[in-house]
Amino acid sequence: MSDKPAVVCEGLSCTLPSGVQALRDVSFRLQAGGLTAIIGPSGCGKTTLLRIAAGLARATSGRIQFLRRDGSADPIRAGHLAVCFQDARLLPWRKVVDNVALPLELAGVGRRERVARAEAVIHAAGLDGAQSRLPAQLSGGMRMRVALARALVTDPTVLLLDEPCSSVDEFTRMQLDEEILRVWQDSGATTMLVTHSVSEAVFLADEIVIMRRARVHSIHRVALDRASRDRTSHAFSQEVELVMRSLAVAAGVVVP
Amino acid sequence: MSDKPAVVCEGLSCTLPSGVQALRDVSFRLQAGGLTAIIGPSGCGKTTLLRIAAGLARATSGRIQFLRRDGSADPIRAGHLAVCFQDARLLPWRKVVDNVALPLELAGVGRRERVARAEAVIHAAGLDGAQSRLPAQLSGGMRMRVALARALVTDPTVLLLDEPCSSVDEFTRMQLDEEILRVWQDSGATTMLVTHSVSEAVFLADEIVIMRRARVHSIHRVALDRASRDRTSHAFSQEVELVMRSLAVAAGVVVP
Amino acid sequence: MKRLSEKMREIAAPLIAVGVIAVAWEVAVIATGVSPLLLPRPTAIGQTMWMNSEMLLSATVQTAIAALSGFAIATTLGIIGGSVIAAVPVLRRSIYPLATIVQMVPLVAVAPLFVIWLGFGLPTAIAASAVVAVFPVLAATIDGLRSVDHGLREIFALAGASTWTRWRKLDLPASIPAIMTGLRIAAGLSVIGAIVGEFVSGYGGAHAPLGIVVMTAMREARTDLVFGAVALSAIVGFVLFGVVSIVGWLLVNRWHASGQSEMEIRR
Amino acid sequence: MKRLSEKMREIAAPLIAVGVIAVAWEVAVIATGVSPLLLPRPTAIGQTMWMNSEMLLSATVQTAIAALSGFAIATTLGIIGGSVIAAVPVLRRSIYPLATIVQMVPLVAVAPLFVIWLGFGLPTAIAASAVVAVFPVLAATIDGLRSVDHGLREIFALAGASTWTRWRKLDLPASIPAIMTGLRIAAGLSVIGAIVGEFVSGYGGAHAPLGIVVMTAMREARTDLVFGAVALSAIVGFVLFGVVSIVGWLLVNRWHASGQSEMEIRR
Amino acid sequence: DKPSSPGASGAAALVSIQVQLNWVPEPEFGGMYAALQDGLYSQAGMNVELIKGGGQVPCAQLVASGRVPFALVSAEEVLTMRARGGSIVGVFATFQENPMAFLLHEANPINTLEQLWRSNSMVGVNVGLPYVTILNEKYSGAGLKLVPYSGGLATFLVTPDSAQQCFIASEPVECKVRGVPVKIISMAEVFNPYAAVVATNEAFLKQNPAVVEAFVQATQEGWRRYLATPQKYNPAIVALNPSMSLEAMNIAAEIERSSIEPAAGKGFIGEMTAARWEALGKQLVACKVIDVCPPVNEAFVAPRAPAPSPAPAPTSTP
Ligand SMILES: Nc1ncnc2c1ncn2[C@@H]1O[C@H](COP(=O)(O)OP(=O)(O)OP(=O)(O)O)[C@@H](O)[C@H]1O
Ligand SMILES: Nc1ncnc2c1ncn2[C@@H]1O[C@H](COP(=O)(O)OP(=O)(O)OP(=O)(O)O)[C@@H](O)[C@H]1O
Ligand SMILES: [Mg+2]
Ligand SMILES: [Mg+2]
């Protein structure tokens, strides 16, 4: 896992063409091989941050760097950075299995292998039986799961997930969380997870970046041992409560 | 409020063109002026049910009826049934305010009045300042809030909401829940709310229909008084726990 | 399969329309007493076509060959050229507007060049057909490619897909509905292009193609034969149009809005 | 505003391309020694145009009036007709394929009808222009309307919007990018339609339009004048194309993919 | 307002008459422009408008359908239209000799129709004209490469051993002006219909015989004047068609004179005879353009010989 880069943001600001300042002086670090969650009110700049990290948008000032353990810059090879966007973005003419296998196809993986790998993640995403449906024949939650499966099917060094589980029920979400965890642990990818679920963040992340109005509000290190992250435990609830309070402040809610 | 119809589903089944059976023998009743939540795993048929209720899809068998208090059929006038779909469905060339005001515009409400009414819901949805942006200039969560605002801006007799709050953070969601509650109480609309959040369902609904694999798994009457629905109270947590267990069964999760 | 057979049934619809129009036309001509030299009756046209069926058949075959070849060339050049132009912004700004010129040149004016370069007969008719038909394909391809969803393009950019790969797997499939519009327009144009090409390029072998039949019949004031030949060229165009429509439908009906049947509120 | 001025700059690009092509052409003609009777040098064409500028200017104005009027008629009929056809499935199945015929009729063949119904000169040139240009607009409108997102249509259906309201507020705006493609194709066709119309209809006014100039110059083997007249007709076409493109861009750049600049991966 | 007896009411109400020409203003219509310029038509009580044509104007259909009272057509068009039921009538024949000919480069060894048709030259001809069929039958032009005449001269000029059909007062003049040595081979020996025939339609003729007669006479006089001094009238034609030079028009007028003017002492301008129409009809039937020749005496109204003295057109019919 020593080959996964750290992602370092320093003083990132981003003013969009419309004049909206989506990020102001955002600094934080995704630990190499770590899993960092980003939470914050709707519209606070999470997606913009993820897009800059993915190289799809340019920061107005500040910089973002991918660094190896030894401090040298890591020019991530194309295809080694996987993104699950907030909208599913499926190719409407491709079956589920071919949508999921797309990144492998583009990376030149042979047909048999990529179908096998795609079917494995499709199964993990609870989409058995939908392999040969077209996106239009899926429910909204299923479409998002296909998009997540497509991001997880590769063996990325950097994994950026933008609310991958927002449109599924709580139990499916837990199941998907397990899958994200598995992929992260297997691949050791440096992972950034944008989410609205505090309990999801606490369950999955090493660190939680709480954003507020285009800025980093606070950064919370999850104090729980990975082994002891049981959602039903008291410690877990306490941790969730803690983050929730920070988030409440970020969201401008008066905390009782 | 006596003019709001009850919605009665009897033995609804729906086989989609692809051969998927999205609903099997679904029966339940939306009380006139009541607020019913539908929860269930992703892909279990919630959206299909909502589409049939909205008249956008046809049931293969069974029937759905809109009934007045006196038992006569209520042919709901166009524009008196409002839907917030799972995807935002905004007109990309219209500003936020004009998207929200669209149903009023189509109902022939004058420009000044409809802008005023639209701005009020835009404010309640936490979208102040975004009135004159185009949909492409919004974040994912903001787009969904615009869609919700568009459904709430009319004075519907039947209100169908399909996961309106799934892509926002927990605090914005609470704020939106308050707004849904307010609109529901003001208009007395017979409301159906598809949601993935059990606590949202418990907070808002009179009854919770739990679906499983195209069928109604169980129907839960929320035992709490509306006045005493405090999310931090023990009674509330208990109620949530109760529904969660049913849902866990529906989702096929072994409950400890 | 059921839907494909439905599609086949759609072929019947224009035939019925043709029948209705023909009857209306017949009645109108008889009622208004317009001279058959200007507007012959459909029955007279049919009779003439029947009497000259052998000659007309061979003419139609020749013109169809020219039109089909021209259409094929226009399709190929239009899609390739359009893709290149869409991919290179400087070309799109400079060459694309100029490409309009290819459809604006009066063929008779450049006929001598065509004829010198390509010779008389079929080659010039094919070239004329291609020249007239290429711009719609080009324009539709360019506009289609430029309308591809940027979100989907990002998926390919992240995977490091080459422009060529992205074109094959995203841009082209996503543009098929637009390109089909271009091809539908080009279908008809390729036929008229072939006929005008025949006007200027001539006899081409023992039997005259439709363009020559039209010219000769016009000079001989055989209006019914003119209309018969025009009807046959229209049939060539219809068939091409129909094939394009069916192919387009087969390609996109499963995923594109245009392939889905219209929704209506049911309650 | 900055983006509009950028758009204006785009007008310069084809002009530069014209310059480059002209130089290449000049060199090629000199190098290959092709007869100026077949392919005159651009400088010779320029000279001839300059010497005949008055005559050519008035010819261009006349042809431009015909082409513009034809284009306007084609746009109106194409959009209205396309909307009606798209709205009524039975028409779409029966009439739409038949509509291809309007662009497939050799104008010379129906010229007598045109001239007799519409009279000499301008009216017939306008009609010819409209006939040639209408189908692309029609086809693009139909295909555009049929591609409107069904999800958005449901919003209107639920609000009980009439077909007319939905057309104004949803279908038409959503189809503008597609319609613009049709109009871009129609721009060039309307010019060639006007010129062919002039071939068959003669001219009413004192001065000959471009179609007549082309005809007479050909008869007199004044190839440089033929090319000069063709160049002027091309300019009319360009201007029309340019106006359509700019109008289209102004209408959709804020919301449609085609108006957004290309994304590239930055890291 | 319907045209009625012309000249009867003097200058009061001029009858409005349109004439559809089949080409742009050129010396082939010189007599009509001369009549216009000298006011012969208005003296005859007509306000004549010569509508400029464009090469593909459907003149025969226009006049047969009554869209215009007069149009210029060829004699074979009159017969074919009549054979198909069109009510067109020739009233004045401008060209007594077929003005269509073959144009060859001067250096070309071919000098006769027979030589040309038995050669394997490339010959540009209009598709669908009867003379091709006639020549084919007569000389079996098996080796000949017939190509469509596209209305231009460029192909001919760059191909020294080619030939193409021409109008004697047009393409040869252009070549002369350019200094390209050419020669022409007339096709009159095998196919000699009247050309630039002024035609009207039967209904108009029946209702306005006087108008037709007056028009024909004014045209006749116009031609007489034009052929006498074409230089006097050509500037006005150049003004209408600046693409042809005055020099070229003057040359053209000289060339066409012999085909228009009657040979000394024989006939008169515009004359038509039944024999010539009969002969044409036979040829058209022979080459299957028409199945049966319509009665030729109905196909034309021979113009009267002009009054011996060069007087203005008759202005009074009591
Ligand atoms: N257009 C369609 N064609 C074929 N199958 C469809 C179509 N739309 C939905 N389905 C299938 O119907 C079933 C029910 O879909 P529906 O959208 O009602 O689910 P849902 O409960 O709303 O799920 P989610 O919570 O993910 O939105 C799913 O299995 C889905 O795959
Ligand atoms: N293309 C755009 N043009 C202009 N403004 C934009 C654009 N995209 C986003 N914005 C604005 O930038 C801000 C940050 O947007 P972003 O998408 O990063 O929010 P987010 O935190 O992801 O929100 P959400 O949770 O709702 O997805 C918002 O105020 C949004 O309105
Ligand atoms: Mg976002
Ligand atoms: Mg759903």
Side-chain angles (χ1 to χ4, degrees), chain A residues 51 54 56 78-81 83 85 89-94 102-103 105-106 132 134 136 150, chain C residues 149-152 154-161 165-166 169-171 173-174 251 254-255 260:
Chain A
R51 289 177 60 77
L56 296 170
H80 284 224
L81 181 148
V83 180
F85 291 95
R89 302 198 183 179
L90 307 179
L91 303 190
W93 54 86
R94 283 193 173 221
L102 180 69
E105 188 178 332
L106 295 177
S132 46
L134 291 174
R150 181 177 59 189
Chain C
D149 184 60
H150 286 328
L152 295 179
E154 288 181 353
I155 300 284
F156 280 76
L158 286 170
T165 306
R166 193 188 72 187
K169 302 194 183 228
L170 171 64
D171 297 347
L251 286 175
R254 297 182 62 221
W255 62 269
Q260 259 87 64

Side-chain angles (χ1 to χ4, degrees), chain D residues 35-38 52 55 108 111-113 115-120 196 198-208 211-213 215-225, chain E residues 18 20 23-26 28 49 51-58 61-62 65 67-68 149-155 157-158 167 170-171 174 178 239-245:
Chain D
S35 162
L37 285 169
L38 293 175
N52 296 281
M55 181 264 279
V108 288
L113 283 175
V115 179
I116 282 160
W117 285 335
L118 298 170
F120 312 96
V196 174
E198 288 159 2
F199 287 171
V200 300
S201 76
Y203 57 114
H207 299 288
I212 300 293
V213 171
M215 276 234 141
T216 52
M218 270 173 56
R219 174 95 155 232
E220 293 159 12
R222 294 169 67 177
T223 315
D224 42 4
L225 189 55
Chain E
Q18 293 167 309
Q20 175 66 57
W23 186 246
V24 296
E26 276 187 12
E28 61 178 296
E49 183 195 356
I51 303 168
K52 293 159 283 212
Q56 291 175 2
V57 177
Q61 279 100 330
L62 286 173
S65 67
R67 188 76 175 75
V68 286
Y149 166 73
S150 58
L153 202 50
T155 316
L157 287 175
V158 299
F167 178 69
S170 177
E171 289 92 342
E174 189 56 38
R178 276 169 191 268
L240 293 172
N241 176 16
S243 80
M244 192 171 182
S245 68

